[in-house]
Amino acid sequence: MLKAPAESHGRLVAAMLQGSWRRSPTTPEWQSAKLEEIAPLLQRSGAAALCWWRIRFSDLQDIPVAKSFHDAYRLNTLQAALTQQTIKETIALLRSVEIEPILVKGWAVARAYPEKGLRPYGDIDLCVRPHQFAAAESALNNLSDKQYEVDLHSGFAKFGSGSFDEIYARSQLVRLEEMDVRVASAEDHLRFLCIHMLREGAWRPLWLCDIAAVVESLPANFDWDSCLSENRRQADWIICAITLAQQLLGADISDTPAAKKTRQLPRWLVPTILKEWESLLPSMSQRHRAPMARHLRHPAEILKGLYNRWPNPIEATISVRGPFNDLPRFPFQLGNCLARTAKFTARLPKLLRGQ
């Protein structure tokens, strides 16, 4: 009799995170060994607190590994308070030089979760007008007494582009304690989250939880035409991302265009994501750990650097603005590498002079 194949770690991660962003998620009926098996993946991905949220009323809350999940939840809660203070100070600093930034991701998306401790904070992503970028960067770099973990963006190119003036006109001020913080509209922010996740190769399950949490908390007057924009290809990317949230995490997308279009996902898309999720060293995370220029000092590591920078099919498709269909992804991956190689080669003389 043939033994049934073991469930992949990627599938187990997806199963554990089902509905984990909700105020009252269902309690998983798991054996402790299965949870312990994927615990390192949940911890490394930033989803440990969401796991705690799901198991906190079950027998699993008493197993040894559950303590690390609970610790992650408490650490996130503390980090949220510290990050909120940094957000206020950073925005106040930029406003003092007459720059009004728009906050995306991070705190802006954490508001969709029922508890502060469920989502970890990374860098503070602030978008400013392109002609103000240098001044904003200078203001932040001139700080001598504090270290701000700010990811400053010139416009919205990293999130699928768009007119800054139009995005600013749709933006809104939301209250953060005694300060009003400017965030993107619900329509723009969902688009940013979807494109950012795909652009980064979807290696982090937390990003898909973000999309699920936001989709399930959209305001009644949400304008889907504004979210999907006039770019049909970009609209299809967004539909794919929302469909992934439903298929992998059980998100309720019944009131979205994704439900009406019944988008058939490409055969390679879900396996690519699950492969990323089951790796202890996600390819995207590993790729950004050190710039390629660093390998110039250690030529023996160049091949390793090239291997780590080979894009997964999702990242490659977005980078060349390709369609999500069943055609092979290799041409897109090769195109991505050639484009990045050309940029690196153009900068090479300057890098060598700096050695």
Side-chain angles (χ1 to χ4, degrees), residues 229-267:
S229 74
E230 297 178 357
N231 187 318
R232 294 180 61 184
R233 179 153 296 174
Q234 194 174 94
D236 187 58
W237 295 345
I238 297 167
I239 294 295
C240 282
I242 294 172
T243 303
L244 283 167
Q246 190 277 324
Q247 292 195 11
L248 287 175
L249 302 180
D252 180 4
I253 64 170
S254 56
D255 293 329
T256 74
K260 299 173 184 176
K261 291 188 177 184
T262 60
R263 175 67 158 86
Q264 187 69 35
L265 295 177
R267 290 189 296 268

Short mmCIF file of all heavy atoms in Angstrom, two decimals, residues 229-267:
data_model
loop_
_atom_site.label_atom_id
_atom_site.label_comp_id
_atom_site.label_asym_id
_atom_site.label_seq_id
_atom_site.Cartn_x
_atom_site.Cartn_y
_atom_site.Cartn_z
N SER A 229 -7.80 50.87 -11.37
CA SER A 229 -7.25 51.86 -12.31
C SER A 229 -7.60 51.50 -13.75
O SER A 229 -8.34 50.55 -14.02
CB SER A 229 -5.73 52.00 -12.13
OG SER A 229 -5.05 50.88 -12.67
N GLU A 230 -7.04 52.26 -14.67
CA GLU A 230 -7.31 52.04 -16.09
C GLU A 230 -6.31 51.10 -16.73
O GLU A 230 -6.44 50.77 -17.91
CB GLU A 230 -7.30 53.39 -16.82
CG GLU A 230 -8.38 54.35 -16.35
CD GLU A 230 -8.30 55.68 -17.05
OE1 GLU A 230 -7.38 55.87 -17.87
OE2 GLU A 230 -9.17 56.54 -16.80
N ASN A 231 -5.34 50.66 -15.98
CA ASN A 231 -4.33 49.74 -16.50
C ASN A 231 -4.84 48.31 -16.37
O ASN A 231 -4.89 47.75 -15.27
CB ASN A 231 -3.02 49.93 -15.71
CG ASN A 231 -1.87 49.14 -16.29
OD1 ASN A 231 -2.01 47.99 -16.68
ND2 ASN A 231 -0.70 49.77 -16.34
N ARG A 232 -5.22 47.70 -17.47
CA ARG A 232 -5.86 46.38 -17.44
C ARG A 232 -4.91 45.31 -16.90
O ARG A 232 -5.35 44.41 -16.19
CB ARG A 232 -6.36 46.01 -18.83
CG ARG A 232 -7.49 46.91 -19.34
CD ARG A 232 -7.96 46.51 -20.71
NE ARG A 232 -8.48 45.15 -20.73
CZ ARG A 232 -8.89 44.52 -21.84
NH1 ARG A 232 -8.82 45.14 -23.01
NH2 ARG A 232 -9.35 43.29 -21.78
N ARG A 233 -3.64 45.39 -17.26
CA ARG A 233 -2.70 44.37 -16.78
C ARG A 233 -2.51 44.50 -15.28
O ARG A 233 -2.50 43.49 -14.56
CB ARG A 233 -1.37 44.49 -17.52
CG ARG A 233 -0.32 43.47 -17.05
CD ARG A 233 0.66 43.17 -18.14
NE ARG A 233 0.02 42.54 -19.29
CZ ARG A 233 0.62 42.27 -20.44
NH1 ARG A 233 1.89 42.58 -20.60
NH2 ARG A 233 -0.03 41.69 -21.42
N GLN A 234 -2.34 45.72 -14.81
CA GLN A 234 -2.19 45.93 -13.37
C GLN A 234 -3.45 45.49 -12.63
O GLN A 234 -3.36 44.92 -11.53
CB GLN A 234 -1.87 47.40 -13.11
CG GLN A 234 -1.37 47.68 -11.71
CD GLN A 234 -0.94 49.12 -11.55
OE1 GLN A 234 -1.71 49.97 -11.12
NE2 GLN A 234 0.30 49.41 -11.90
N ALA A 235 -4.60 45.75 -13.22
CA ALA A 235 -5.86 45.32 -12.60
C ALA A 235 -5.89 43.79 -12.47
O ALA A 235 -6.34 43.25 -11.46
CB ALA A 235 -7.04 45.80 -13.43
N ASP A 236 -5.38 43.10 -13.47
CA ASP A 236 -5.35 41.64 -13.41
C ASP A 236 -4.41 41.15 -12.32
O ASP A 236 -4.69 40.16 -11.64
CB ASP A 236 -4.92 41.06 -14.76
CG ASP A 236 -5.04 39.55 -14.81
OD1 ASP A 236 -6.16 39.03 -14.58
OD2 ASP A 236 -4.02 38.87 -15.03
N TRP A 237 -3.28 41.85 -12.12
CA TRP A 237 -2.37 41.49 -11.03
C TRP A 237 -3.11 41.59 -9.69
O TRP A 237 -2.97 40.70 -8.83
CB TRP A 237 -1.16 42.43 -11.00
CG TRP A 237 -0.25 42.36 -12.17
CD1 TRP A 237 -0.20 41.39 -13.14
CD2 TRP A 237 0.75 43.33 -12.52
NE1 TRP A 237 0.77 41.69 -14.06
CE2 TRP A 237 1.38 42.87 -13.70
CE3 TRP A 237 1.18 44.52 -11.95
CZ2 TRP A 237 2.42 43.58 -14.33
CZ3 TRP A 237 2.21 45.22 -12.55
CH2 TRP A 237 2.82 44.76 -13.73
N ILE A 238 -3.86 42.67 -9.52
CA ILE A 238 -4.58 42.88 -8.26
C ILE A 238 -5.62 41.79 -8.05
O ILE A 238 -5.76 41.24 -6.95
CB ILE A 238 -5.23 44.28 -8.25
CG1 ILE A 238 -4.15 45.36 -8.31
CG2 ILE A 238 -6.09 44.47 -7.00
CD1 ILE A 238 -4.68 46.75 -8.61
N ILE A 239 -6.34 41.45 -9.11
CA ILE A 239 -7.33 40.38 -9.02
C ILE A 239 -6.66 39.07 -8.64
O ILE A 239 -7.17 38.30 -7.80
CB ILE A 239 -8.08 40.22 -10.36
CG1 ILE A 239 -8.93 41.47 -10.64
CG2 ILE A 239 -8.94 38.97 -10.36
CD1 ILE A 239 -10.05 41.69 -9.66
N CYS A 240 -5.49 38.80 -9.21
CA CYS A 240 -4.75 37.57 -8.87
C CYS A 240 -4.36 37.56 -7.40
O CYS A 240 -4.49 36.53 -6.72
CB CYS A 240 -3.50 37.45 -9.75
SG CYS A 240 -3.79 36.87 -11.42
N ALA A 241 -3.88 38.69 -6.89
CA ALA A 241 -3.46 38.76 -5.49
C ALA A 241 -4.64 38.52 -4.55
O ALA A 241 -4.52 37.79 -3.55
CB ALA A 241 -2.82 40.12 -5.20
N ILE A 242 -5.78 39.11 -4.86
CA ILE A 242 -6.97 38.91 -4.02
C ILE A 242 -7.45 37.47 -4.10
O ILE A 242 -7.84 36.87 -3.09
CB ILE A 242 -8.08 39.90 -4.45
CG1 ILE A 242 -7.64 41.33 -4.16
CG2 ILE A 242 -9.38 39.58 -3.73
CD1 ILE A 242 -8.57 42.38 -4.71
N THR A 243 -7.38 36.89 -5.29
CA THR A 243 -7.77 35.48 -5.46
C THR A 243 -6.85 34.57 -4.67
O THR A 243 -7.29 33.57 -4.07
CB THR A 243 -7.75 35.10 -6.95
OG1 THR A 243 -8.62 35.98 -7.67
CG2 THR A 243 -8.22 33.67 -7.15
N LEU A 244 -5.56 34.90 -4.63
CA LEU A 244 -4.61 34.12 -3.83
C LEU A 244 -4.98 34.16 -2.35
O LEU A 244 -4.88 33.15 -1.65
CB LEU A 244 -3.19 34.65 -4.03
CG LEU A 244 -2.49 34.28 -5.33
CD1 LEU A 244 -1.24 35.12 -5.53
CD2 LEU A 244 -2.13 32.79 -5.33
N ALA A 245 -5.40 35.32 -1.87
CA ALA A 245 -5.79 35.44 -0.46
C ALA A 245 -6.97 34.52 -0.15
O ALA A 245 -7.06 33.96 0.94
CB ALA A 245 -6.14 36.89 -0.14
N GLN A 246 -7.85 34.36 -1.11
CA GLN A 246 -9.00 33.46 -0.91
C GLN A 246 -8.58 32.00 -0.99
O GLN A 246 -8.93 31.19 -0.13
CB GLN A 246 -10.07 33.79 -1.95
CG GLN A 246 -11.41 33.11 -1.70
CD GLN A 246 -11.44 31.68 -2.24
OE1 GLN A 246 -10.86 31.39 -3.28
NE2 GLN A 246 -12.12 30.79 -1.51
N GLN A 247 -7.80 31.65 -2.01
CA GLN A 247 -7.45 30.24 -2.24
C GLN A 247 -6.48 29.70 -1.20
O GLN A 247 -6.58 28.53 -0.82
CB GLN A 247 -6.90 30.06 -3.65
CG GLN A 247 -7.94 30.28 -4.74
CD GLN A 247 -7.49 29.76 -6.09
OE1 GLN A 247 -6.48 29.06 -6.21
NE2 GLN A 247 -8.24 30.12 -7.13
N LEU A 248 -5.53 30.52 -0.75
CA LEU A 248 -4.53 30.04 0.19
C LEU A 248 -4.91 30.27 1.65
O LEU A 248 -4.58 29.46 2.52
CB LEU A 248 -3.18 30.70 -0.09
CG LEU A 248 -2.43 30.22 -1.33
CD1 LEU A 248 -1.18 31.04 -1.56
CD2 LEU A 248 -2.06 28.74 -1.20
N LEU A 249 -5.62 31.37 1.94
CA LEU A 249 -5.87 31.74 3.33
C LEU A 249 -7.36 31.79 3.68
O LEU A 249 -7.70 32.09 4.83
CB LEU A 249 -5.24 33.10 3.63
CG LEU A 249 -3.72 33.21 3.41
CD1 LEU A 249 -3.24 34.61 3.75
CD2 LEU A 249 -2.97 32.17 4.24
N GLY A 250 -8.23 31.53 2.72
CA GLY A 250 -9.66 31.52 3.02
C GLY A 250 -10.27 32.88 3.22
O GLY A 250 -11.30 33.01 3.90
N ALA A 251 -9.70 33.93 2.63
CA ALA A 251 -10.26 35.27 2.75
C ALA A 251 -11.64 35.33 2.09
O ALA A 251 -11.90 34.67 1.08
CB ALA A 251 -9.33 36.30 2.12
N ASP A 252 -12.50 36.13 2.65
CA ASP A 252 -13.84 36.34 2.09
C ASP A 252 -13.74 37.42 1.02
O ASP A 252 -13.57 38.60 1.33
CB ASP A 252 -14.81 36.76 3.19
CG ASP A 252 -16.23 36.99 2.67
OD1 ASP A 252 -16.47 36.75 1.46
OD2 ASP A 252 -17.09 37.41 3.46
N ILE A 253 -13.85 37.04 -0.24
CA ILE A 253 -13.74 38.00 -1.34
C ILE A 253 -15.06 38.10 -2.10
O ILE A 253 -15.09 38.52 -3.26
CB ILE A 253 -12.59 37.61 -2.30
CG1 ILE A 253 -12.88 36.27 -2.99
CG2 ILE A 253 -11.27 37.55 -1.55
CD1 ILE A 253 -11.91 35.94 -4.11
N SER A 254 -16.16 37.73 -1.43
CA SER A 254 -17.45 37.63 -2.10
C SER A 254 -17.93 38.96 -2.67
O SER A 254 -18.67 38.99 -3.65
CB SER A 254 -18.50 37.08 -1.13
OG SER A 254 -18.57 37.87 0.05
N ASP A 255 -17.51 40.08 -2.08
CA ASP A 255 -17.97 41.39 -2.55
C ASP A 255 -16.93 42.09 -3.41
O ASP A 255 -16.95 43.32 -3.54
CB ASP A 255 -18.33 42.29 -1.36
CG ASP A 255 -19.54 41.78 -0.60
OD1 ASP A 255 -20.42 41.17 -1.23
OD2 ASP A 255 -19.59 41.97 0.63
N THR A 256 -16.04 41.34 -4.01
CA THR A 256 -14.98 41.93 -4.82
C THR A 256 -15.10 41.48 -6.27
O THR A 256 -15.72 40.45 -6.57
CB THR A 256 -13.59 41.49 -4.30
OG1 THR A 256 -13.36 40.11 -4.65
CG2 THR A 256 -13.49 41.66 -2.79
N PRO A 257 -14.48 42.22 -7.19
CA PRO A 257 -14.47 41.79 -8.59
C PRO A 257 -13.80 40.44 -8.79
O PRO A 257 -14.07 39.74 -9.76
CB PRO A 257 -13.68 42.91 -9.28
CG PRO A 257 -13.86 44.10 -8.42
CD PRO A 257 -13.90 43.56 -7.02
N ALA A 258 -12.91 40.07 -7.86
CA ALA A 258 -12.24 38.78 -7.97
C ALA A 258 -13.24 37.63 -7.90
O ALA A 258 -13.08 36.60 -8.57
CB ALA A 258 -11.19 38.63 -6.86
N ALA A 259 -14.28 37.79 -7.10
CA ALA A 259 -15.31 36.75 -6.99
C ALA A 259 -16.15 36.68 -8.26
O ALA A 259 -16.55 35.61 -8.72
CB ALA A 259 -16.19 37.01 -5.78
N LYS A 260 -16.41 37.82 -8.84
CA LYS A 260 -17.26 37.87 -10.03
C LYS A 260 -16.53 37.37 -11.27
O LYS A 260 -17.14 36.76 -12.16
CB LYS A 260 -17.74 39.31 -10.26
CG LYS A 260 -18.57 39.85 -9.11
CD LYS A 260 -18.89 41.33 -9.30
CE LYS A 260 -19.63 41.88 -8.09
NZ LYS A 260 -19.87 43.34 -8.20
N LYS A 261 -15.22 37.61 -11.33
CA LYS A 261 -14.47 37.22 -12.52
C LYS A 261 -14.01 35.76 -12.48
O LYS A 261 -13.61 35.22 -13.50
CB LYS A 261 -13.24 38.13 -12.69
CG LYS A 261 -13.61 39.57 -13.05
CD LYS A 261 -12.38 40.37 -13.38
CE LYS A 261 -12.74 41.78 -13.83
NZ LYS A 261 -11.57 42.57 -14.24
N THR A 262 -14.08 35.16 -11.29
CA THR A 262 -13.63 33.77 -11.11
C THR A 262 -12.32 33.53 -11.88
O THR A 262 -12.22 32.67 -12.73
CB THR A 262 -14.70 32.75 -11.57
OG1 THR A 262 -14.99 32.97 -12.96
CG2 THR A 262 -15.96 32.90 -10.74
N ARG A 263 -11.33 34.33 -11.56
CA ARG A 263 -10.02 34.29 -12.24
C ARG A 263 -9.35 32.94 -12.03
O ARG A 263 -9.15 32.49 -10.90
CB ARG A 263 -9.14 35.41 -11.70
CG ARG A 263 -7.71 35.44 -12.20
CD ARG A 263 -7.66 35.76 -13.68
NE ARG A 263 -6.39 36.30 -14.11
CZ ARG A 263 -5.33 35.55 -14.47
NH1 ARG A 263 -5.40 34.23 -14.44
NH2 ARG A 263 -4.21 36.13 -14.88
N GLN A 264 -9.00 32.27 -13.12
CA GLN A 264 -8.25 31.02 -13.05
C GLN A 264 -6.78 31.36 -12.91
O GLN A 264 -6.17 31.92 -13.83
CB GLN A 264 -8.50 30.17 -14.31
CG GLN A 264 -7.89 28.78 -14.25
CD GLN A 264 -8.59 27.89 -13.23
OE1 GLN A 264 -9.80 27.99 -13.06
NE2 GLN A 264 -7.84 27.03 -12.58
N LEU A 265 -6.18 31.02 -11.78
CA LEU A 265 -4.78 31.36 -11.56
C LEU A 265 -3.87 30.50 -12.43
O LEU A 265 -4.17 29.32 -12.69
CB LEU A 265 -4.42 31.17 -10.09
CG LEU A 265 -5.14 32.08 -9.09
CD1 LEU A 265 -4.73 31.72 -7.67
CD2 LEU A 265 -4.85 33.55 -9.37
N PRO A 266 -2.75 31.05 -12.89
CA PRO A 266 -1.78 30.26 -13.64
C PRO A 266 -1.30 29.06 -12.83
O PRO A 266 -1.20 29.14 -11.60
CB PRO A 266 -0.64 31.24 -13.90
CG PRO A 266 -1.25 32.60 -13.77
CD PRO A 266 -2.34 32.46 -12.74
N ARG A 267 -0.98 27.98 -13.50
CA ARG A 267 -0.61 26.73 -12.81
C ARG A 267 0.65 26.90 -11.96
O ARG A 267 0.82 26.20 -10.97
CB ARG A 267 -0.39 25.62 -13.84
CG ARG A 267 -1.66 25.13 -14.50
CD ARG A 267 -1.39 23.88 -15.33
NE ARG A 267 -0.49 24.16 -16.43
CZ ARG A 267 -0.88 24.51 -17.65
NH1 ARG A 267 -2.16 24.66 -17.91
NH2 ARG A 267 0.00 24.73 -18.61
#
